[in-house]
Amino acid sequence: MDAVTLSGLRKPRPYPAVSVLMPTHRSARDGRQDRIRLRNLLAEVRRRLHDDPRVAPDAADHIVRGLERAADEVDPRHASDALVLFAAPHGEHHAFTIGQPVDERVVVDTGFATRDLVAAFTRMPRYWLLSLSDHRTRLWSGLGAELTEHARGGFPVEPEPIDEAGAGRQARRAAQGGEGEWRRQAMRDVVAALERVLARDRRPLIVAGVTRHQAVFDEVAGPHVTVAGRVDGSFEGASPSALIEAARPALAAYEDLREVGVLSELEAARSIQRYAGGLCEVTELVEEGRGEHLVVERGYYAPAVRTEDELIPVEGGPGVLKGADVVDDVVDHVIETALEYGGEVTFVSDGFLIDHDRIALVTRY
């Protein structure tokens, strides 16, 4: 899952676009319980589509077969906490496993229910780890407990040696200014490559390296590169597991500050009248394109009825209401709309927004 894929999944689809979300069991070896649960959910999809006068019987069958094909594409050996299946007309289908629980539900709408994918994408710690070295500076892509080397976009950066015969023109020119200038030139190459990566995929940046390397990095990078945390020491040749363990305290400190910062941001927005709280007010402003930063409790769902002028939230979980004017989850609608208008979305723990009626918004104006 990446930002490009997620953006494509959020686009509208012809009705009916069906989403099936199901908790799975890491510990169940044979997967029998999950297969039974999935079979029951697919039976619910079939029932709902056949009972819907807007859906032709053969179209309903095509959607169900698409969901079955999507389920078959998932590797049962891949341990996860949830299964997410999507299917839409014209044979479109997708399958994802995510490492966080979901509420079991079937959603039938004009788009996929992507909120749990957004939550996994947003809440799963995603970061870059830059390991500085005189010989080979490497960039690592962090996703939760996984760390993979980013070996493209100019990385790894290996400066030309300063003391070998036949060194390149750049190394010879830097050598005229001494080792310090050579190191600064090498670091300029690192920063240039890093800025290209961050322009495409901005994440928190953890910088690992000895003090002198970090000092040169700060000097060359200037204010354009924000460092979320630091790890002191030499990690040249270190394994991904060793790097993750070393970076863990810096990442934890960053996450703690981020959550505190969310509440501070909401209070500051309230003081300058750029704040909204509660689903009705937030929905209206987001649909006007005024959402700059949406903050949502992870377990907050609400169906709604669409009138000519507005969405009216009602009590109950997704799927409890039937009819052409029903939106299974208006919270998902708000999240997707905020993202479509270029807003930021942050998920927080349930109860975190108790003073904000479970959902809050910083507005653009």
Side-chain angles (χ1 to χ4, degrees):
M1 172 61 61
D2 55 34
V4 174
T5 301
L6 193 58
S7 176
L9 291 171
R10 293 200 315 268
K11 294 179 180 178
R13 260 70 179 178
Y15 187 89
V18 178
S19 306
V20 175
L21 299 103
M22 186 187 84
T24 54
H25 299 81
R26 291 176 181 266
S27 58
R29 292 184 178 180
D30 60 1
R32 182 172 180 271
Q33 183 177 354
D34 289 341
R35 288 196 297 273
I36 293 172
R37 175 177 285 186
L38 178 59
R39 187 165 62 244
N40 292 338
L41 286 173
L42 294 181
E44 180 185 345
V45 172
R46 189 183 300 276
R47 176 186 58 77
R48 288 181 59 177
L49 294 181
H50 279 287
D51 289 346
D52 192 330
R54 294 169 292 175
V55 183
D58 59 338
D61 293 337
H62 281 305
I63 293 291
V64 173
R65 284 197 292 272
L67 292 169
E68 291 171 341
R69 286 193 294 271
D72 289 341
E73 293 172 3
V74 176
D75 186 348
R77 297 169 298 178
H78 190 302
S80 65
D81 293 307
L83 174 66
V84 180
L85 303 177
F86 297 143
H90 312 303
E92 182 182 7
H93 63 274
H94 309 272
F96 302 93
T97 57
I98 56 177
Q100 67 178 44
V102 301
D103 291 334
E104 180 177 298
R105 63 196 192 278
V106 170
V107 180
V108 182
D109 209 332
T110 56
F112 296 136
T114 59
R115 64 162 303 146
D116 290 286
L117 293 183
V118 174
F121 186 79
T122 305
R123 290 295 294 174
M124 180 74 72
R126 297 172 59 82
Y127 59 94
W128 296 112
L129 192 151
L130 183 68
S131 179
L132 300 172
S133 166
D134 278 339
H135 307 293
R136 194 168 192 255
T137 291
R138 306 165 77 184
L139 183 66
W140 299 82
S141 172
L143 178 61
E146 297 181 4
L147 199 63
T148 306
E149 185 171 5
H150 184 85
R152 58 188 184 277
F155 285 99
V157 178
E158 299 176 332
E160 297 176 82
I162 194 172
D163 56 349
E164 292 184 8
R169 183 188 309 168
Q170 185 182 51
R172 290 196 300 271
R173 186 165 57 245
Q176 295 173 3
E179 184 176 352
E181 178 56 30
W182 173 81
R183 183 170 286 119
R184 278 189 292 273
Q185 181 56 54
M187 197 64 72
R188 291 186 190 103
D189 294 340
V190 170
V191 170
L194 178 64
E195 288 180 337
R196 289 194 296 270
V197 171
L198 292 176
R200 295 193 306 271
D201 189 355
R202 186 162 294 278
R203 310 180 195 174
L205 174 67
I206 306 297
V207 179
V210 297
T211 302
R212 71 176 186 276
H213 290 156
Q214 298 221 26
V216 177
F217 175 83
D218 291 344
E219 175 188 343
V220 173
H224 304 295
V225 177
T226 302
V227 177
R230 299 182 185 274
V231 182
D232 293 326
S234 176
F235 294 93
E236 187 167 357
S239 67
S241 59
L243 284 167
I244 289 175
E245 192 61 34
R248 199 182 306 278
L251 288 168
Y254 171 78
E255 285 298 311
D256 289 344
L257 287 174
R258 188 190 66 85
E259 292 213 336
V260 171
V262 165
L263 287 182
S264 299
E265 182 181 358
L266 292 177
E267 292 306 319
R270 195 200 298 265
S271 69
I272 59 173
Q273 287 76 52
R274 288 179 52 197
Y275 163 88
L279 187 55
C280 291
E281 186 178 358
V282 167
T283 300
E284 180 179 353
L285 292 171
V286 165
E287 289 189 331
E288 293 175 1
R290 293 176 58 185
E292 181 175 282
H293 187 186
L294 179 68
V295 186
V296 189
E297 288 189 0
R298 188 184 295 110
Y300 185 30
Y301 305 94
V305 175
R306 186 187 297 276
T307 69
E308 290 185 3
D309 302 319
E310 59 182 341
L311 285 169
I312 303 175
V314 297
E315 295 295 328
V320 299
L321 298 178
K322 304 293 186 293
D325 297 327
V326 170
V327 177
D328 272 348
D329 181 18
V330 69
V331 178
D332 186 53
H333 166 79
V334 170
I335 292 166
E336 294 181 0
T337 303
L339 291 169
E340 288 298 329
Y341 278 106
E344 178 184 0
V345 177
T346 297
F347 286 85
V348 295
S349 304
D350 291 342
F352 192 77
L353 298 177
I354 190 170
D355 296 328
H356 303 271
D357 203 12
R358 306 197 71 183
I359 185 169
L361 181 71
V362 178
T363 64
R364 291 191 168 97
Y365 53 89

